[in-house]
Amino acid sequence: MQSLAAWMPGLGGFAIGAAAGFAVRHARLCSFGAIEDALMGGDSRRLRIFGLALGIAILGTQSLVISGVLRPELTTYTLPSLPIVAILLGSLFFGIGMAMVGTCGFGSLVRLGTGDLRSLIVILVLGATAYAALRGVLASVRIDALERLSIGMPDGIASDMASLTSHAFGFDVRPGLAIAVGAGLCLIALGDPRLRRAPRLLSAGIALGVLVVAGWVVTNSLGDEFDVAIRPQSLTFVSTIGKALYAGVLNASSFADFGVGSVFGVVAGSWLAAWRSAELRWEAFDDDHEMRRHLVGAALMGIGGILAGGCTIGQGITAGSMLALSWPFAVGGMVLGSRLGIALLVDDSVSEIIQRRWASLRSRKQPLE
């Protein structure tokens, strides 16, 4: 039987996840919605909020690294090699799946807390396919075929921007880089006067950033190293959903994991926010077409999220807070995948979008008469 100390990361994860679920549900914040607003509507407000969360997370996380509390090389985001092919392919899959479902894994957990039964199906499929890619039948393909195509870091240093830049210049640039990127993102977000008049959105962005930092602190300091191997981690919602499904079916001791605790915490926090605003209601699929779309999208997110090394939260904020080299590639792939997914849903054809773009580029190159 596990000791109480071994359960502390799971309890800490539940508390942090609950706070994140409550804040995001209260603010109606959604990562895919933010991308869709920016790409299709030209409205970057919600995307700026995620930028604010990332900026705060960078400042807090890098403070932990500089003070010696957190070691980047111990995290899964800054290993000595960068599996660039897996990240690009996985993030593209994840973005397409996100568009087909209408939200990401984190958003599905938030929706589940409000009574959306569609999200229950999405979570089950996402978790099963994620675990298959992580440790099941698809793991060998991921490890032997895709992750072998990686870029090694010089002298085996961690694959984060600060370590790589410091190695190139011969001195530590981490403090300056952290302040420049973190504070810059915060200033860009707060530079929009409309956001300064939106306290719910601002509070959600601040909460997400602070909670990512709290995740690093909890997993770095809590737990008994003789019971479980301590590897610092923070919020991410692909592999953790798979592990939560595994814990519920096969191994109850896995509930002690920080990530598994955060999954259940998000649902609980979202439920509390919906209950306080009297917005709890059961929702289901409208027809079989909608269900098929969600099933395919969930599978793409499960497999893609494992290949990419995280979701919009895991790569977009948590890996970003570590200044991981995977972060810009993963986020870029997810944005591109989301646009392709929207094209599939709205225009029914990606080829038509490509043809129109190509025709537009050719027309620009033609000389004026």
Side-chain angles (χ1 to χ4, degrees):
M1 184 175 180
Q2 289 180 306
S3 66
L4 178 60
W7 282 91
M8 292 306 293
L11 295 175
F14 182 88
I16 290 173
F22 183 91
V24 167
R25 170 60 195 172
H26 183 65
R28 308 292 194 277
L29 190 61
C30 172
S31 54
F32 173 70
I35 294 172
E36 186 178 29
D37 286 350
L39 290 178
M40 308 303 292
D43 186 351
S44 64
R45 281 179 295 177
R46 287 201 287 179
L47 202 58
R48 287 171 182 261
I49 289 298
F50 282 100
L52 174 64
L54 176 58
I56 292 171
I58 288 173
L59 293 173
T61 301
Q62 293 305 308
S63 296
L64 295 176
V65 174
I66 293 167
S67 63
V69 174
L70 181 62
R71 295 172 58 190
E73 67 273 13
L74 295 180
T75 72
T76 59
Y77 297 110
T78 57
L79 299 176
S81 61
L82 183 69
I84 186 67
V85 174
I87 291 171
L88 292 174
L89 185 62
S91 59
L92 191 66
F93 283 174
F94 189 90
I96 295 172
M98 194 164 52
M100 298 182 77
V101 171
T103 189
C104 62
F106 177 55
S108 295
L109 291 171
V110 172
R111 288 183 178 183
L112 180 59
T114 68
D116 192 333
L117 297 179
R118 295 169 298 187
S119 292
L120 175 61
I121 302 300
V122 168
I123 291 301
L124 292 174
V125 175
L126 188 156
T129 53
Y131 204 83
L134 183 67
R135 297 177 182 172
V137 295
L138 301 177
S140 60
V141 177
R142 171 179 62 84
I143 296 170
D144 297 333
L146 294 176
E147 292 188 355
R148 283 183 180 274
L149 304 173
S150 60
I151 302 173
M153 296 296 105
D155 297 329
I157 63 173
S159 57
D160 67 274
M161 299 175 188
S163 296
L164 190 62
T165 308
S166 298
H167 182 274
F169 286 103
F171 60 91
D172 189 9
V173 302
R174 187 179 297 275
L177 184 63
I179 292 173
V181 178
L185 287 169
C186 292
L187 290 174
I188 290 172
L190 297 175
D192 190 329
R194 297 173 300 174
L195 287 183
R196 297 198 295 270
R197 297 191 296 268
R200 284 190 179 186
L201 284 175
L202 284 175
S203 63
I206 294 170
L208 275 179
V210 170
L211 290 169
V212 165
V213 179
W216 292 122
V217 173
V218 165
T219 56
N220 196 58
S221 59
L222 296 182
D224 187 341
E225 62 181 344
F226 294 103
D227 285 342
V228 293
I230 296 178
R231 179 180 285 276
Q233 58 178 307
S234 193
L235 295 177
T236 187
F237 298 98
V238 180
S239 62
T240 52
I241 293 176
K243 291 175 182 177
L245 184 62
Y246 171 79
V249 174
L250 296 175
N251 187 3
S253 64
S254 296
F255 283 117
D257 179 74
F258 171 87
V260 173
S262 69
V263 167
F264 291 98
V266 169
V267 177
S270 173
W271 175 86
L272 181 60
W275 175 74
R276 286 184 72 253
S277 57
E279 292 177 340
L280 287 171
R281 62 181 181 273
W282 297 113
E283 293 184 70
F285 294 109
D286 293 330
D287 51 37
D288 61 330
H289 176 75
E290 184 184 25
M291 184 173 185
R292 287 196 302 271
R293 176 165 54 82
H294 278 68
L295 291 175
V296 173
L300 286 172
M301 283 199 294
I303 297 171
I306 295 299
L307 292 177
C311 58
T312 51
I313 302 298
Q315 277 288 355
I317 301 179
T318 300
S321 74
M322 197 59 67
L323 296 175
L325 290 178
S326 61
W327 159 51
F329 296 106
V331 171
M334 289 175 190
V335 172
L336 176 59
S338 296
R339 182 62 187 93
L340 292 176
I342 292 171
L344 283 170
L345 296 174
V346 176
D347 301 306
D348 295 323
S349 174
V350 175
S351 62
E352 291 182 7
I353 294 292
I354 296 174
Q355 289 173 6
R356 285 201 297 269
R357 294 291 185 187
W358 177 248
S360 176
L361 289 173
R362 290 187 63 186
S363 64
R364 293 177 185 176
K365 292 180 180 180
Q366 291 178 356
L368 295 175
E369 293 182 359

